[in-house]
Amino acid sequence: MRASGLNSIEKKAAFSLAAVFGLRMLGLFMILPVFAIYGEQLAGYSPMWIGLAIGAYGLTQAMLQIPMGILSDKYGRKPIILIGLLIFLLGSVVAAMSDTIYGVVFGRALQGTGAIASAILALAADLSREEQRPKVMATIGMFIGLSFTIAMVMGPIVAKAFGLSGLFWFIAVLTILAMLLIQFMVPHSVNKAPRGDSVALPAQLKKLVRHPQLSRLNFGVFTLHMAMTACFITLPKQFVASGLMLEDHWQLYLPTLIGSFFFMVPFMIYAIKKQKEKQMLSASVLLLTLALFLLWYLPMSFASLVVLVIMFFTAFNYLEATMPSILSRIAPAGVKGSVMGIYSSSQFLGAFTGGVLGGLIASRFGEQTIFLVMAVISAIWLLVTLGMKPLKKSKNFSFAINVENEKQAGEVAEQLINMPGVIEATIVFTEAIAYLKIDEKIVNIAEIKALLNQPK
């Protein structure tokens, strides 16, 4: 009963969750191209407070991803996501109503407090079978990349028309739209894992942080977002120096990002079909390292910038799309929220660190040195990826099931998870579908079918 492609539930989950993630990331990215200019109009302005206003979001995100991930394990994904979006909405309103830099900093920090990235990625994993999970995660990753492009175009337009306050109000409207998508479009699931796995204890977190395979991915996403943030301290200036005016930068971002997606897709298809995820991960890190090194080494012209930026974003988008799917396959059953929380914390901490470190390097050693330092750190990441183990595959099945309510779905899932050979059981009761991750060597399919009223 296995499907060769995404089924209706996985398609709905992929696009609705990707849309929510994309709308959320617009709230972060739309500020970047305009805040340094429009922030000068706020009382209490100083360059230090501008930097703090931008970085406060990433810092609070990094601090709260793990707690929010734990809460999503315990209380469910969708309730925690909705609470996080509500907090983000309040932060947007606070920033919109503030006429001082201090109020905007508080609003931005409050936005980051609604840390839902880990819960969204965990819900995406819950709603997809293992062999289809890379496609779902890739959809989310592509929407994140597209949200960056859209933000670079829309941010200056909205800010010019309505001012900085209007920009935050616009972000608030986007947040309300994301809440509606979560409530009415995202499928509901009941996920059951072995006893003791549903609530992550401090001892479990410590073990997850030290997990040799998970830690490689956490270091990787930290490095990836540190490099991206640090490079964008100087890349816009490189574009201007090459003859492209600031208001025309979208004409470079749009084709280079589309080009990077075009080059990324064949890599993803090859990795999935040939089961070469580890090798392609290392190859993408190598491409990223090479792009960063050449950005430092080569004399910059417009043509070379376009080629190197395409190289950078091809590697960036491939890694952004595939690492969460690899993470979800490695993650122990029942602690996806905690694992994704650690991963997302590393991601946002990397972005925060990249801004701080990039600014420090630029002020002391020149902006061009940023590329060299990021290339060296990326080369270290390449060495780390070489120690990753090949991914193990379990069998995934989907069954139709007759359940009338969430309580009944939970009871059936509990019975399933206690059967020998059942690694994980997820029931989407609103669509009458049960997803099982099993060990075929010891599982009894006939017994499972009998429980689910399936013909033997």
Side-chain angles (χ1 to χ4, degrees):
M1 298 186 64
R2 297 169 66 190
S4 58
L6 293 178
N7 59 33
S8 60
I9 295 172
E10 288 165 337
K11 289 177 182 177
K12 185 187 292 186
F15 286 101
S16 58
L17 288 173
V20 170
F21 217 129
L23 289 171
R24 179 72 186 283
M25 296 308 289
L26 277 175
L28 170 64
F29 292 145
M30 287 179 69
I31 300 298
L32 298 181
V34 302
F35 192 76
I37 298 172
Y38 285 86
E40 295 179 354
Q41 304 168 8
L42 297 170
Y45 160 82
S46 74
M48 182 195 72
W49 279 101
I50 290 291
L52 189 57
I54 295 174
Y57 179 97
L59 185 60
T60 51
Q61 280 274 319
M63 291 171 60
L64 292 170
Q65 283 299 329
I66 291 175
M68 293 290 274
I70 295 173
L71 290 174
S72 78
D73 268 347
K74 188 172 183 180
Y75 298 109
R77 315 297 189 203
K78 290 180 73 170
I80 296 303
I81 293 172
L82 286 171
I83 291 171
L85 286 171
L86 179 60
I87 296 172
F88 184 85
L89 174 62
L90 293 174
S92 302
V93 172
V94 168
M97 297 180 67
S98 299
D99 55 5
T100 69
I101 189 68
Y102 317 114
V104 173
V105 168
F106 177 72
R108 290 284 288 169
L110 190 57
Q111 282 182 323
T113 303
I116 60 169
S118 59
I120 289 179
L121 293 176
L123 181 55
D126 288 345
L127 291 170
S128 57
R129 294 157 295 163
E130 186 172 8
E131 70 269 20
Q132 302 301 328
R133 207 162 283 159
K135 299 177 185 177
V136 175
M137 296 298 182
T139 302
I140 294 175
M142 286 189 287
F143 269 61
I144 294 173
L146 287 173
S147 70
F148 177 82
T149 305
I150 294 170
M152 294 299 104
V153 176
M154 288 186 62
I157 295 173
V158 175
K160 183 177 181 180
F162 304 105
L164 186 62
S165 176
L167 182 59
F168 281 115
W169 283 117
F170 183 75
I171 292 170
V173 172
L174 293 179
T175 307
I176 294 173
L177 179 58
M179 294 174 73
L180 293 174
L181 285 173
I182 287 291
Q183 185 64 31
F184 298 108
M185 290 294 295
V186 177
H188 189 82
S189 71
V190 176
N191 181 270
K192 287 288 183 180
R195 296 185 187 277
D197 279 354
S198 6
V199 180
L201 302 173
Q204 290 176 307
L205 279 179
K206 189 179 297 184
K207 182 179 179 180
L208 290 173
V209 169
R210 295 178 178 177
H211 191 289
Q213 300 304 309
L214 294 177
S215 61
R216 283 175 165 82
L217 293 172
N218 294 331
F219 175 74
V221 76
F222 174 90
T223 303
L224 184 66
H225 282 262
M226 177 174 63
M228 191 270 287
T229 306
C231 287
F232 269 89
I233 291 176
T234 183
L235 267 179
K237 297 180 182 179
Q238 303 268 5
F239 298 150
V240 172
S242 69
L244 190 66
M245 298 298 292
L246 181 61
E247 59 270 21
D248 296 328
H249 282 189
W250 67 271
Q251 298 177 12
L252 177 62
Y253 291 135
L254 188 59
T256 53
L257 279 166
I258 292 175
S260 71
F261 287 130
F262 176 79
F263 288 117
M264 176 188 77
V265 171
F267 295 156
M268 291 191 63
I269 295 174
Y270 173 80
I272 294 171
K273 286 190 173 181
K274 302 296 184 180
Q275 298 183 21
K276 298 288 186 180
E277 290 101 332
K278 175 191 171 183
Q279 292 87 339
M280 290 306 300
L281 178 71
S282 297
S284 297
V285 178
L286 177 60
L287 180 63
L288 181 73
T289 304
L290 183 61
L292 290 168
F293 178 78
L294 292 177
L295 281 167
W296 168 75
Y297 181 75
L298 293 179
M300 285 299 101
S301 65
F302 183 75
S304 63
L305 270 175
V306 170
V307 172
L308 294 178
V309 169
I310 290 177
M311 287 174 58
F312 178 89
F313 275 113
T314 298
F316 180 89
N317 289 325
Y318 179 87
L319 292 164
E320 185 82 349
T322 57
M323 286 200 297
S325 68
I326 296 173
L327 190 82
S328 68
R329 291 168 62 182
I330 298 173
V335 292
K336 284 192 184 73
S338 301
V339 170
M340 293 295 182
I342 297 170
Y343 179 84
S344 297
S345 292
S346 303
Q347 177 185 39
F348 285 107
L349 187 60
F352 176 76
T353 304
V356 175
L357 181 59
L360 181 63
I361 294 170
S363 61
R364 294 194 176 185
F365 305 103
E367 292 182 359
Q368 196 68 14
T369 310
I370 293 175
F371 297 123
L372 177 61
V373 174
M374 293 301 118
V376 171
I377 298 175
S378 182
I380 295 172
W381 178 18
L382 176 60
L383 296 177
V384 169
T385 66
L386 299 179
M388 289 189 66
K389 296 180 180 178
L391 298 177
K392 295 181 180 180
K393 281 206 168 185
S394 55
K395 295 290 184 179
N396 294 267
F397 288 81
S398 61
F399 300 93
I401 180 174
N402 294 320
V403 289
E404 297 179 354
N405 51 54
E406 184 174 352
K407 180 180 179 182
Q408 186 180 355
E411 292 171 352
V412 173
E414 188 72 31
Q415 295 178 60
L416 285 169
I417 202 61
N418 287 322
M419 288 183 171
V422 178
I423 301 170
E424 189 171 339
T426 299
I427 294 180
V428 185
F429 76 90
T430 55
E431 305 288 346
I433 296 290
Y435 294 119
L436 301 181
K437 181 189 293 186
I438 64 174
D439 182 347
E440 275 194 319
K441 294 180 180 178
I442 60 175
V443 78
N444 187 330
I445 295 292
E447 185 180 353
I448 292 173
K449 288 183 176 181
L451 175 63
L452 300 177
N453 297 317
Q454 289 284 325
K456 296 182 180 180

